[in-house]
Amino acid sequence: MPLITARSNGVFTISATPFAEDGSLDLDSTDRLTDFYVQEGASGLTILGMMGEAPKLTQPEARAFVERVIARVPDLPVVVGVSASGLAAISELTKAAMDAGAAGVMVAPPPSLTTNETIEAYYANVVDAIGTDVPLVLQDFPLSTTVPISTATLGRIFEAHPSIVMLKHEDWPGLAKISALRKAEAEGRRRTAILCGNGGMFLPEEMARGADGAMTGFCFPRMMAEVCKLMTAGKTEHARDIFDAYLPLVRYEQQPGVGLAVRKYVFHSRGVIASSKIRAPGAPLAPAAVAEVETLIKRQEARLAELCG
């Protein structure tokens, strides 16, 4: 299994975690979902992220899921979310993931961090706990973690810990942060890969600012793969046309508390997973929302047909 580096790029799709109707982990659907992501153009996968319902899994379930996904795509880099309340749990899951063949792990800051100093100390402790040989993704998602990390603080963390090779950028608004990070690199700071989240909501602008790709879970990953490829090739207008066709659904999926239900509904209705089950707390889409999603998909398909034709 290849390891992630500071030059990793493309689309690392955040995977959902399929459950059966009785709430048990559905590994057969996991295989189909993993295959779907590959067919949609994923450059890599990220599993057990915030939208992967990681906190709802037992440790044995988390390990079983990690092993199943990695075994399904032995040539594709798989990043494993290992965020937890304590360093012992982070270290334990990291070891299991890396032993299974993971490409690296991702850690978000806990809400208890309230100063730049505590943030820097936390990531020093994480690196010490998991080992400097493990490629690490720093997840910067203050809207969820409640921990804002300044550009200067990120720079100090990156310089102090070369094993942190990637930033999952989800600050919002955060486009200026991408520009500032790339400017610092141009002035001599070491390079770090930047993959962006937030459902792909700002993907064309993020790519234009210097991002290397996306690390998020929009229910049509092919859009993100195409936009990243076109933006990298300098075909900006075509990239924006593709993005605009999907934007209404991207926007709909970004509603707090709804996004995962939308994704699982789409995967289930298209036969990728056997059930749209979300473990509690969480609920499937209401009938009115299902009708809205299907309307958006029909309009999306019509717009894409126009662009192709």
Side-chain angles (χ1 to χ4, degrees):
M1 177 70 69
L3 299 178
I4 56 169
T5 72
R7 293 286 176 181
S8 293
N9 59 70
V11 176
F12 279 59
T13 303
I14 296 284
S15 176
T17 303
F19 298 109
E21 278 298 313
D22 64 2
S24 61
L25 190 63
D26 184 348
L27 293 178
D28 289 335
S29 287
T30 295
D31 289 344
R32 292 194 300 273
L33 182 59
T34 301
D35 292 346
F36 168 79
Y37 288 137
V38 173
Q39 293 161 8
E40 288 285 294
S43 309
L45 298 177
T46 302
I47 58 178
L48 302 185
M50 292 182 183
M51 293 296 279
E53 301 181 78
K56 302 175 186 177
L57 298 180
T58 66
Q59 279 284 332
E61 285 176 327
R63 292 186 183 190
F65 186 69
V66 168
E67 291 169 359
R68 187 72 167 226
V69 172
I70 291 175
R72 193 73 177 180
V73 284
D75 298 323
L76 205 68
V78 177
V79 173
V80 178
V82 297
S83 300
S85 58
L87 292 174
I90 290 174
S91 179
E92 180 179 333
L93 185 53
T94 294
K95 185 179 187 308
M98 297 307 294
D99 285 348
V105 300
M106 179 169 67
V107 176
S112 58
L113 306 182
T114 57
T115 66
N116 293 332
E117 290 77 13
T118 57
I119 295 168
E120 292 176 45
Y122 177 75
Y123 278 98
N125 290 335
V126 169
V127 170
D128 184 60
I130 68 175
T132 58
D133 58 329
V134 177
L136 179 59
V137 180
L138 189 160
Q139 184 174 10
D140 180 20
F141 192 11
L143 275 73
S144 177
T145 65
T146 71
V147 181
I149 309 178
S150 70
T151 302
T153 300
L154 285 173
R156 289 192 295 271
I157 293 171
F158 295 156
E159 284 295 279
H161 307 291
S163 62
I164 301 178
V165 298
M166 182 182 292
L167 174 69
K168 186 185 179 188
H169 173 275
E170 299 191 86
D171 207 345
W172 183 354
L175 294 173
K177 179 179 279 188
I178 298 174
S179 295
L181 290 169
R182 290 305 190 214
K183 182 175 183 291
E185 292 171 357
E187 294 172 351
R189 204 194 66 226
R190 75 174 182 88
R191 190 184 200 283
T192 305
I194 300 176
L195 299 186
C196 299
N198 288 319
M201 178 75 79
F202 308 103
L203 186 55
E205 292 79 14
E206 289 163 342
M207 293 295 293
R209 293 275 190 146
D212 297 298
M215 183 182 279
T216 193
F218 178 56
C219 55
F220 287 90
R222 184 171 299 278
M223 178 276 283
M224 298 185 293
E226 291 180 358
V227 168
C228 288
K229 181 179 178 180
L230 290 166
M231 290 294 294
T232 300
K235 299 179 180 179
T236 305
E237 289 305 309
H238 191 189
R240 291 186 181 279
D241 286 341
I242 296 293
F243 178 78
D244 289 350
Y246 288 89
L247 182 55
L249 187 59
V250 172
R251 175 201 54 144
Y252 195 95
E253 200 190 74
Q254 279 301 104
Q255 296 176 89
V258 174
L260 181 59
V262 173
R263 293 175 193 177
K264 285 198 165 183
Y265 165 76
V266 171
F267 296 151
H268 176 231
S269 65
R270 271 59 183 170
V272 179
I273 60 178
S275 170
S276 59
K277 177 75 174 181
I278 297 174
R279 274 189 176 175
L285 287 185
V290 168
E292 289 163 348
V293 168
E294 288 295 343
T295 295
L296 292 174
I297 291 174
K298 288 178 182 178
R299 292 178 62 83
Q300 170 182 295
E301 291 172 345
R303 179 57 181 146
L304 289 172
E306 291 176 3
L307 290 174
C308 296

